[in-house]
Amino acid sequence: MKISSRASERIAKIFIWAAALLVMAVLINIIVYILIKGLPIINWNFLTDIPHNMGRSGGIASTIIGTILITIVAVVIAAPFGIGTAFYLAEYTHESIVTRIIRFSAESLAGIPSIVYGLFGFIFFVIFLNLGWSILSGGLTLAFMILPTMIRTAEEAIRAVPNSYRETSFSLGATKWQTIRKAVFPSALQGIVNGIILSIGRCVAETAAVILTAGSALRMPSSIFSPTRTMAVHFYILAREGISMENAYGTAALLIILIFIINVIANALVNRFIAKGR
């Protein structure tokens, strides 16, 4: 039986909407469940005190600081290299064996399991460079992990900028760098920031690589050379060992809130920057 084009279009729309609604329902269900379980645990003491008795009591202040510091180290190191590589691939070179090797390397890095990154970080940063279990070792390892994401998202954002922007800039006598800085970069900024946000989310949620490189110390870190425990690692240990499911849910809820705040602030800053440039 032949289906008319209008009927097939309706069927396709139904499947597309059903898939979208299913994804949204799963996401909302997970978030609501964790927030219902975790929000009652969050209070001022939970946010400002360090964990005591292996996490059974006290708060998670040290894990919050550890998470923020490791994420900052990873993003500050990875962002210049990732965005710079993306501009090189999109603006300064044509398709060649070199660009294919770079893209293949980035795609290969993206497919490596996080535990392998952790083992590499442990052997190279912790032992060989003698950095020990520290925020710096964890941040450097995570920088390698998020580099492929930054390269791919930034390159796609740059390539999405219309060529007319470049042609207009060149016609006005601008150099290649001036064109990139004044025309291409502001237009691609939203996509670049989205890649950074995705990278931050991976840093915040990572466990295996962080345990092997940053350690699992519960005390408040004093510098980037101090060992630390991130919120994701703290949640994992509390839940796996059955130490305190209440504190585990509280940590998970705070993780969701933290990622939401990062997204809101980043998008607000980007929109403000774009508005000023217009």
Side-chain angles (χ1 to χ4, degrees):
M1 186 174 108
K2 187 176 180 181
I3 302 176
S4 65
S5 58
R6 182 173 295 181
S8 62
E9 183 177 355
R10 289 179 178 175
I11 293 172
K13 284 184 178 181
I14 291 173
F15 276 109
I16 291 171
W17 273 101
L21 291 174
L22 178 62
V23 171
M24 290 177 60
V26 172
L27 176 62
I28 292 172
N29 183 60
I30 293 173
I31 292 176
V32 170
Y33 179 79
I34 293 176
L35 291 179
I36 290 175
K37 291 281 189 177
L39 284 179
I41 310 300
I42 300 175
N43 53 43
W44 182 248
N45 180 69
F46 188 75
L47 297 175
T48 57
D49 194 11
I50 64 173
H52 300 290
N53 193 20
M54 299 298 295
R56 290 184 178 87
S57 59
I60 58 169
S62 59
T63 66
I64 296 174
I65 300 300
T67 302
I68 294 173
L69 290 178
I70 283 183
T71 302
I72 290 174
V73 170
V75 172
V76 167
I77 293 173
F81 290 101
I83 297 172
T85 302
F87 272 106
Y88 172 77
L89 293 173
E91 298 291 332
Y92 282 99
T93 185
H94 299 288
E95 191 66 27
S96 64
I97 184 66
V98 175
T99 59
R100 287 195 290 271
I101 290 174
I102 294 174
R103 289 195 181 93
F104 176 77
S105 301
E107 291 169 0
S108 298
L109 284 173
I112 296 176
S114 61
I115 191 66
V116 177
Y117 279 105
L119 183 60
F120 163 77
F122 175 73
I123 295 172
F124 186 68
F125 297 121
V126 176
I127 298 177
F128 181 74
L129 295 183
N130 199 28
L131 295 176
W133 283 307
S134 63
I135 292 172
L136 183 59
S137 297
L140 288 168
T141 304
L142 290 179
F144 280 97
M145 289 183 60
I146 64 177
L147 194 58
T149 301
M150 287 196 176
I151 293 174
R152 296 302 297 167
T153 54
E155 184 183 1
E156 292 300 324
I158 294 165
R159 291 188 180 279
V161 177
N163 284 328
S164 58
Y165 288 21
R166 301 174 179 85
E167 294 168 357
T168 302
S169 179
F170 290 142
S171 68
L172 295 173
T175 63
K176 184 75 171 179
W177 172 243
Q178 288 174 328
T179 299
I180 290 174
R181 187 163 57 91
K182 296 291 186 179
V184 178
F185 180 73
S187 301
L189 184 60
Q190 182 71 59
I192 293 173
V193 171
N194 288 337
I196 293 175
I197 292 173
L198 289 173
S199 301
I200 290 174
R202 185 171 186 186
C203 290
V204 171
E206 184 55 43
T207 55
V210 178
I211 291 177
L212 291 173
T213 55
S216 185
L218 290 174
R219 62 181 179 271
M220 186 69 70
S222 57
S223 71
I224 61 173
F225 298 101
S226 302
T228 192
R229 177 186 290 191
T230 63
M231 295 170 66
V233 171
H234 188 58
F235 164 75
Y236 169 73
I237 293 175
L238 291 180
R240 185 195 65 178
E241 302 293 340
I243 296 173
S244 174
M245 289 305 300
E246 292 80 7
N247 287 345
Y249 278 120
T251 305
L254 198 59
L255 269 172
I256 292 175
I257 295 171
L258 179 63
I259 293 174
F260 176 77
I261 291 173
I262 291 172
N263 276 270
V264 171
I265 293 175
N267 282 287
L269 291 175
V270 170
N271 292 333
R272 185 175 180 181
F273 178 85
I274 293 174
K276 283 185 176 180
R278 290 177 177 174

